Amino acid sequence: MATELDIVIVGAGGAGIAAGRRLAEAGPAVSFQIVEAADRVGGRAWTVTRDGMPLDLGCGWLHSADRNPWAKLAEEEGIAIDRSRPAWGRQFANLGFSPEEQAEAAEAYDEFDRRLREEPPPSDRALDALDPGERWNEYLEARSGYLNGVGLAQLSVADYLAYDEAATDENWRLRDGYGTLIAGAAEGLPIALDAPVSRIDRTSTILQIDTARGRLTARAAIVTVPPVVLAEERLRFDPPLDGKAEAASCLPLGLADKLFLTLDHAEELDSDAHMLGNPRRAETGSYYLRPFGRPLIECFFGGAGAAVLEGAGEGAMADFAVGELISAFGSGFRKRLHPLAGSAWGASPWVRGSYSHAMPGHAGARRALAEPVEGRIFFAGEACSAHDFSTAHGAWETGVDAAEQALAALRPTESAVRR
């Protein structure tokens, strides 16, 4: 690992990888190094292979796929993309959720969404837009857990609506895994793993960057760590950047976890079907049946429900999922289900969550977090995205933007090299 560099990128998740690819395009005149705290690249994108099947423990859908740069990269690389429509919103065989109830719940969601847009509460707290007498409030809470990783009491309305301004309805998948695509995009980049950065000293014209594998010096830095790392000052700046820690504290990571169960005699169920465990409870699971036709059930837990299951320890998630599934399919279904793999992002030491949300009254924290410092310290990651936060493509876009800014700062009299 070279120690005297033009640019150091802190973090090898989607933003750090995108920034690194942009710097690599500038050619050998720009020296850079990516340093990553974990023992792998990809951050919250992580594909593991079990029983010969690639499983996305982190992000799994190419959201806004028609404008998603990761989708474009997959196309350029000849990687197969599944463009079939998601099964979300359709209850398999209407189990435990009649067509009439599904219509009522959908109407309740539409009315809630209308209030958020047309009559947003002065508090900016999404919870305050609920109708206290609405029968489907628990369903609305469950949806917030899946979409935002957090309950409505902790969700900024302004921030939530900012995402919708840019999102499209195209959601695609990668049979070989989103995490596989993102990790593959890092190939050939100079990356040092197991190298958490503890301190960036900015007292002189050259930055001093302390890592677990030694000190680096650089003219500029691109910081792509999750907000919690800045909020808790596990990465310190000298002198301190109090505004960054404050902004990061207003952008905590919500929680979404996955569990994959293998299913015996899977052919008895439809492929790529979906169901909610109990639409009358906020802490319920979302179940994707036989994704890609595989003998699996992909279980998804969000918000408070995910946090409770993580806190309950190993096996709690599987017990909960199996319990909900046998309530729908009958007690004989239990012996057909076998845990295969799962995530616990809240316990991941260098992440501590899944995707960011702004606390009520703090939608502006994203802009504050993304603001460069001294024209030489730049920030990227999904939490820095004004409209595409909580997505891997939001991470990509902010990473490329930060790299462009860093290149321009190093060559103030020249235009940064572009594609």
Side-chain angles (χ1 to χ4, degrees), residues 303-340:
V308 168
L309 291 175
E310 273 203 27
E314 187 176 356
M317 198 174 298
D319 290 343
F320 183 86
V322 170
E324 288 206 312
L325 289 167
I326 64 174
S327 292
F329 291 100
S331 59
F333 205 65
R334 180 188 298 272
K335 63 184 179 182
R336 297 170 59 184
L337 299 169
H338 314 281
L340 183 63

Side-chain angles (χ1 to χ4, degrees), residues 212-231:
R213 294 178 57 179
R215 172 170 289 184
L216 307 177
T217 62
R219 297 164 63 195
I222 299 173
V223 178
T224 74
V225 299
V228 66
V229 175
L230 299 176

Side-chain angles (χ1 to χ4, degrees), residues 21-30 400 403-408 411 414-419:
R21 288 172 64 91
R22 178 64 191 96
L23 296 185
E25 291 175 356
V30 177
V400 171
E404 295 279 7
Q405 293 177 67
L407 287 171
R411 297 192 296 272
E414 304 174 23
S415 296
V417 178
R418 296 184 181 273
R419 297 176 183 80

Side-chain angles (χ1 to χ4, degrees), residues 59-205:
C59 54
W61 289 87
L62 291 154
H63 295 302
S64 298
D66 49 340
R67 62 174 187 82
N68 186 321
W70 293 110
K72 181 180 178 182
L73 177 64
E75 291 172 340
E76 291 172 350
E77 297 290 330
I79 296 171
I81 299 174
D82 183 333
R83 293 175 169 82
S84 57
R85 303 293 294 180
W88 311 322
R90 302 191 299 273
Q91 186 79 353
F92 174 70
N94 299 317
L95 291 174
F97 200 15
S98 71
E100 295 76 19
E101 290 173 324
Q102 292 175 56
E104 287 178 9
E107 184 178 349
Y109 181 83
D110 289 343
E111 175 58 21
F112 175 64
D113 186 73
R114 184 199 65 78
R115 286 196 297 273
L116 291 178
R117 297 173 189 283
E118 299 177 10
E119 306 166 20
S123 64
D124 190 43
R125 191 174 75 145
L127 181 70
D128 296 336
L130 286 179
D131 176 356
E134 174 55 59
R135 174 188 177 190
W136 294 103
N137 280 346
E138 291 290 296
Y139 168 83
L140 300 180
E141 283 281 8
R143 287 193 61 161
S144 180
Y146 306 141
L147 295 172
N148 309 298
V150 71
L152 296 171
Q154 298 168 279
L155 185 67
S156 159
V157 174
D159 190 60
Y160 173 80
L161 295 180
Y163 178 90
D164 270 6
E165 289 177 13
T168 76
D169 290 331
E170 296 298 325
N171 298 283
W172 304 340
R173 291 179 298 173
L174 299 167
R175 179 174 288 274
D176 293 331
Y178 207 160
T180 300
L181 173 68
I182 293 176
E187 291 182 7
L189 297 177
I191 300 175
L193 301 176
D194 295 312
V197 174
S198 58
R199 176 173 172 266
I200 297 179
D201 186 333
R202 58 190 183 92
T203 55
S204 67
T205 56

Side-chain angles (χ1 to χ4, degrees), residues 44 148-150 154 225-229 248-256 345-346 348 350-359 366 382-383 390:
R44 286 164 272 170
N148 309 298
V150 71
Q154 298 168 279
V225 299
V228 66
V229 175
S249 69
C250 297
L251 297 167
L253 296 188
L255 188 59
W345 289 106
S348 180
W350 298 109
V351 181
R352 303 263 297 281
S354 301
Y355 29 77
S356 66
H357 65 94
M359 298 292 288
R366 297 194 187 279
E382 56 86 9
S390 78

